[in-house]
Amino acid sequence: MKLEHYKARYQDLQKSLQVGFLNSTSAVEGFVLARANGVDELLKDIWQDFAMSKKLSLVAVGGYGRSELHLYSDIDLLILIPDSSHQTHQQAVAQFLTFLWDVGLEVGHATRDIKDCAGVIDDLSIVTNMLESRLISGPENIFKQMKGIIKLSNWSSQSFLVEKQKEQENRHNKFSNTAYNLEPNIKESPGGLRDIQTVVWVAKWYFDVHTLFNLVEANYLSNDEYELLKTSQLFLWRVRFALHVIASRREDRLAFQYQKQVADILGYADGDFMAVESFMKDYYKTVTKVARLNDILLQLLEDKILNTQYLNSQFRISYGYIHASHDQVFIQNPAAFIEIFLLFSKHNYVRGISAGTLRQMQDNLDLIDQDYYKKRNNNRLFIELLQQNHGINKALKLMNRYGVLERYIPAFGKITGLMQYDLFHAFTVDQHTLFVIRNLRRFFVGEFAHEFSLCSEVAKAIKKPELLLLAGLFHDIAKGRGGDHAKLGAQDAQVFCKSHQLSTADASLVAGLVEKHLLMSSVAQKQDIDDPVVVKNFADAVGSVEFLQYLYLLTVADIRATRDDLWNDWKDSLLKKLFNQTKQHLKNKMQVLLSDKQRTEENIQHVIKASITQGFDMKLVDNILDNLPKAYYLRYELGDILWHLSLQSDKNPDQAIVSSKISESNVVDIFVLCKDFKGLFFNLVSVVERTGLDIVDAKILTTKDKKAYNTISVLQDKKLNELDLRQLIKGVLSAPKIDVAKPQKQLSHQYFDNKTHIKLSENKKWNLSELKIDTLDRVGVLSNIAYVLFQLNISIVSARVSTLGGRVEDIFFISNTQGKPLDKLQQEALTQALTERL
């Protein structure tokens, strides 16, 4: 057998297709067909060379059956054999398939007789493959028998449609039911190629057609819809073919590492936006159009209309969908563009908007002009929509999907499909915004009260939820243009509220929430919220309990809508604590703040009183307390101090103590008490980091008798049950490390801003230097920072660690060997050392 000959033929085919595509990406349809035709010829010749039995048929199925083969798409084959002849042909078929793999063809295959085909016909994926199969070589009669199996099966038109809809719904759910993931799967994500194929599969069943254009002839697709679907398919084909060229294998995920190269291959160039951003915006526009058409076309195939309900003179509900009563509804009354979504939210059993009505909407979207949002009736309907008890999130999601929201709020159009090329945001800006709305709505629904009990409790006090939703809608709306998006968004919100006849107080509340939507998160995660001055300053910025309640709900909803992995118990506890402390302060504005000295003395008295109550050895307690620095009483809660005291004994005063417990913040506090030595903290951090635990906070104190009190807080993790953390830490205390490996970048990091940003300032209150580090999140970042400080003889007093979607923002309070802030030369040396290390 001429293996090298066929390998060379196949390699020449692949090479010619790649070169041709790179020279003319617009001709992708020809290259997809050319690969299918080239593989056809190759298979026919190999089939003939193997002298396969004339009783066997070689059949193309799946994408290959449609004659659609991208550069590295799998070649799906079905070998049909006479009934009960598996053993007879098993060896020949196996040798044939092995040879195909040796040639380099990635083949998916099945060998079946007609009985086998009948036995597996109930499988939806198999019947779909059989539906779009074609004969490559062999007798036609057995192929026609296989095709006949479909007609004789138990699949009805209705059951096939229903199952395909379920299949699509399940597939969409795997991608959070959104097309706007920043690393989308161009085949499986909503609006991707699979959505187009689903329409064609179902249409083939109903109309017995073979091409998209046949659907126009069947009066199923309009000419405009056909052009839109065809154009969208070709765009996605170009992207997929380019992905295959770059990856040199089958690849459907448009990962960050490919996006810039795909944009370059497809001819995008930097301008007002980066080339990759322009390309991705076109991608999101395309998949949105496909998703719209998919909705329309699948609905048109539902063969019965039941349960008609007339809502008013313009709309009715039929078979779960809202229908326009005639084809002039939107022309005669443009306010119907908003009213239909209001009706959708009022009737929570409605499945969606009918295909014919969607067509009317799409054909008349230009009626929503620049003056549309200024008209009183339109304003009234939109505010009424936001005031509904149910269905708001779904209604706004559909308004965005069908292009109404971006026209009603022009600024929203600038963030539609807008990606942010970074490691922090997992969704486009408009999709993130809609997720914020979803999260806000859940706080007001009783069945979700168990998820965020404080948020649900606070929501009961919100007098006008629609104002909170407006703030959510506008909080990131100015990201579509340059400048401070919070301030610009507040201006947009003010204008919108004024045009919608909201009171001055309500408009100020919405605009204020937009302007300050990042404030609470920043204070909670980056400042010492146990400091009354920090709480007072935040309270002054908030101004009232009412504003605080709105801001707290918006902050939680915003963080949770950014990335699935961004929210954790630590952030939850910090925000709760800041909320409660600020609320208390606002209710007692006349309360005089105690000085640090007064707070320290008061806390010491609480500790002594509690120690006596709990029966501690007061001689030991007095000795311990005498050696503790004053800052200890300001940075630890009473419960933590009592825990520390309970661990100590006068029998072995120099013995190292390692213990852990779940804190009030629902994280695990690892407490280490031992003799202080140079490099202690970086050794502790190193051993914790190596376990894979996520460090979120650290407190470091040295007593007058040179003992180190170290508390490292980590997120709860099942790994803790498998680790002997106490033994690991004691091991590093007995044999300290003198070095630490530099952190390694992940592959995806190279595509983003990987600069380390370092800022040093003086904290006059604590008479310390404040070090802020913003860098890529990697294993070993914290231990490397601690190692640099150790090398430069700089002491760490406390640390706050925040991981924000691929980057960390760490804050350290530090001092030099004299216990004072760093001087200019020390600052320069530290900045240089950290930059080189990270």
Side-chain angles (χ1 to χ4, degrees), residues 193-240:
L193 287 166
R194 190 67 82 196
D195 279 12
I196 298 175
Q197 291 163 2
T198 297
V199 168
V200 177
W201 287 329
V202 178
K204 278 184 177 182
W205 196 284
Y206 275 82
F207 300 112
D208 193 25
V209 299
H210 301 285
T211 67
L212 277 177
F213 189 73
N214 293 148
L215 300 178
V216 179
E217 297 170 339
N219 294 318
Y220 174 53
L221 275 177
S222 70
N223 284 312
D224 287 344
E225 288 167 341
Y226 167 76
E227 291 297 334
L228 181 57
L229 205 56
K230 187 68 177 176
T231 301
S232 300
Q233 183 185 58
L234 290 177
F235 176 83
L236 293 174
W237 277 9
R238 291 172 68 212
V239 176
R240 192 180 188 208

Side-chain angles (χ1 to χ4, degrees), residues 493-505:
Q494 190 83 39
V495 171
F496 184 87
C497 291
K498 184 178 179 181
S499 70
H500 282 66
Q501 308 297 311
L502 268 65
S503 69
T504 301

Side-chain angles (χ1 to χ4, degrees), residues 313-316 323-333 336-337 354 356-364 367:
S313 61
Q314 297 185 116
F315 297 105
R316 70 181 190 278
H323 293 251
S325 57
H326 56 83
D327 60 8
Q328 297 294 305
V329 164
F330 297 101
I331 296 173
Q332 293 177 4
N333 179 26
F337 279 106
S354 73
T357 305
L358 285 175
R359 275 179 171 167
Q360 284 189 47
M361 291 174 66
Q362 298 305 301
D363 290 343
N364 295 290
L367 293 173

Side-chain angles (χ1 to χ4, degrees), residues 116-131:
D116 295 330
C117 292
V120 296
I121 196 66
D122 289 339
D123 187 301
L124 183 63
S125 61
I126 292 176
V127 74
T128 304
N129 271 352
M130 291 167 64
L131 181 66

Side-chain angles (χ1 to χ4, degrees), residues 529-530 535 576-585:
I529 58 176
D530 288 319
V535 175
K576 283 179 179 174
K577 189 172 186 177
L578 180 58
F579 172 81
N580 289 323
Q581 289 179 336
T582 307
K583 183 179 177 181
Q584 190 66 31
H585 180 88

Side-chain angles (χ1 to χ4, degrees), residues 744-797:
Q744 298 295 313
K745 291 186 177 69
Q746 298 175 17
L747 177 63
S748 60
H749 286 165
Q750 64 183 299
Y751 303 101
F752 298 92
D753 173 21
N754 55 19
K755 293 180 181 177
T756 294
H757 303 279
I758 299 168
K759 182 180 180 182
L760 275 159
S761 59
E762 186 175 340
N763 185 297
K764 294 184 178 178
K765 177 179 178 179
W766 294 99
N767 195 31
L768 296 169
S769 289
E770 185 173 330
L771 169 65
K772 294 182 179 180
I773 300 177
D774 176 359
T775 189
L776 288 174
D777 183 23
R778 290 151 288 163
V779 175
V781 166
L782 186 56
S783 57
N784 271 268
I785 295 171
Y787 179 68
V788 169
L789 296 172
F790 150 69
Q791 284 186 313
L792 297 178
N793 290 318
I794 295 172
S795 301
I796 305 174
V797 176

